[in-house]
Amino acid sequence: MNDVVVDVRNVTIRFNLASEKIDNLKEYVIKVLKRELLFQEFLAVKDASFQIRRGEAWGLVGSNGSGKSTLLKAICGILKPYKGEIIVNGVISPLLELGAGFDQNLTARENIFLNGTVLGHSMDYMHKHFDEIVEFSELQDFLDSPIKNFSSGMRARLGFAIATIVRPDILIVDEILAVGDYAFQQKCLKRMDEMMSGGTTLIFVSHSIDQVRELCDHAVWINKGDIMQVGPVDEVCDAYMESMEKKVAKK
């Protein structure tokens, strides 16, 4: 039986960046129609290859703009590789932007059902898990308040509670633990650990190397789109941190 759940094969992801400044939409449309708009090729990910097996926990490390989030979006199917392919065997639950499906003018109660629908759950399913979501988010006193009055931490708590009521084959988490207090972060880490104990595969992005070391057993270090190292989490994190320390020392 093949236990590879994510197979990234020679993946390159390309964006076209406008090479000239355009101040308004009218000028942009005219240049597009006349085919006068010039673009500069930008490779966000370059020839990336690695395999993730069932039940493993992988961390993606690298500085801002290195291509981590772009690679995650490609694994989720949001972006299509310019070259190469990504084969996914299993159901993905992506936590790329908590609360992205919220309506700011609706209450938390209304948004629980709205966001659940966006994630593909039935009304019956959401009614069944409503109390669990509220208990985890600890927002019992704010259920009938509009989301627009919530802090970013409160929105993150509600979004995480909704997104993790299922136990997916593959859980993808991108920087969501940067929002919220310490207690919330520990609660999220505990839930992710429980999901992994049940066989869920984790792909995790965080600027907290300590969290990566704590949660993951493998890691990928990516720098400006280039895969620098793939392997056991401590080896990759050590190499990445050594590189960052040398970079700081040169300044």
Side-chain angles (χ1 to χ4, degrees), residues 112-113 116-117 120-133 165:
I112 287 174
F113 291 98
T117 301
H121 304 312
S122 66
M123 288 293 288
D124 287 343
Y125 185 90
M126 295 308 298
H127 276 293
K128 182 180 178 181
H129 293 276
F130 181 83
D131 290 341
E132 175 190 344
I133 292 168
I165 56 174

Side-chain angles (χ1 to χ4, degrees), residues 21-69:
K21 184 178 180 181
I22 298 175
D23 297 323
N24 58 71
L25 180 61
K26 180 180 178 181
E27 184 181 356
Y28 176 84
V29 172
I30 290 173
K31 283 186 173 289
V32 169
L33 293 175
K34 291 184 175 181
R35 298 184 179 179
E36 295 177 351
L37 189 62
L38 300 177
F39 292 96
Q40 180 180 358
E41 182 181 77
F42 171 69
L43 299 180
V45 177
K46 309 168 190 173
D47 197 30
S49 293
F50 54 89
Q51 291 184 330
I52 298 175
R53 299 183 183 279
R54 194 177 314 279
E56 292 180 339
W58 283 65
L60 269 62
V61 300
S63 56
N64 286 330
S66 61
K68 304 185 301 295
S69 295

Side-chain angles (χ1 to χ4, degrees), residues 11-22:
V11 167
T12 295
I13 301 172
R14 182 184 72 171
F15 295 116
N16 287 327
L17 304 179
S19 59
E20 54 186 308
K21 184 178 180 181
I22 298 175

Side-chain angles (χ1 to χ4, degrees), residues 173-222:
V173 181
D174 185 7
E175 286 296 353
I176 57 101
L177 297 186
V179 180
D181 56 27
Y182 177 79
F184 166 72
Q185 292 180 14
Q186 293 305 304
K187 198 170 184 177
C188 291
L189 290 170
K190 182 180 179 182
R191 172 160 284 194
M192 288 192 289
D193 191 55
E194 291 171 352
M195 294 172 78
M196 286 186 291
S197 296
T200 294
T201 300
L202 175 69
I203 306 176
F204 181 62
V205 167
S206 174
H207 284 295
S208 171
I209 297 301
D210 289 339
Q211 286 184 352
V212 173
R213 291 183 192 271
E214 179 183 353
L215 277 174
C216 304
D217 43 50
H218 293 77
V220 177
W221 169 21
I222 184 169

Side-chain angles (χ1 to χ4, degrees), residues 41-104:
E41 182 181 77
F42 171 69
L43 299 180
V45 177
K46 309 168 190 173
D47 197 30
S49 293
F50 54 89
Q51 291 184 330
I52 298 175
R53 299 183 183 279
R54 194 177 314 279
E56 292 180 339
W58 283 65
L60 269 62
V61 300
S63 56
N64 286 330
S66 61
K68 304 185 301 295
S69 295
T70 299
L71 186 53
L72 287 189
K73 288 177 181 177
I75 292 172
C76 292
I78 298 171
L79 295 176
K80 184 178 180 180
Y82 170 60
K83 292 181 180 178
E85 64 177 338
I86 299 175
I87 300 172
V88 176
N89 298 310
V91 176
I92 291 179
S93 179
L95 302 184
L96 302 180
E97 187 178 350
L98 289 182
F102 289 156
D103 185 319
Q104 299 302 309

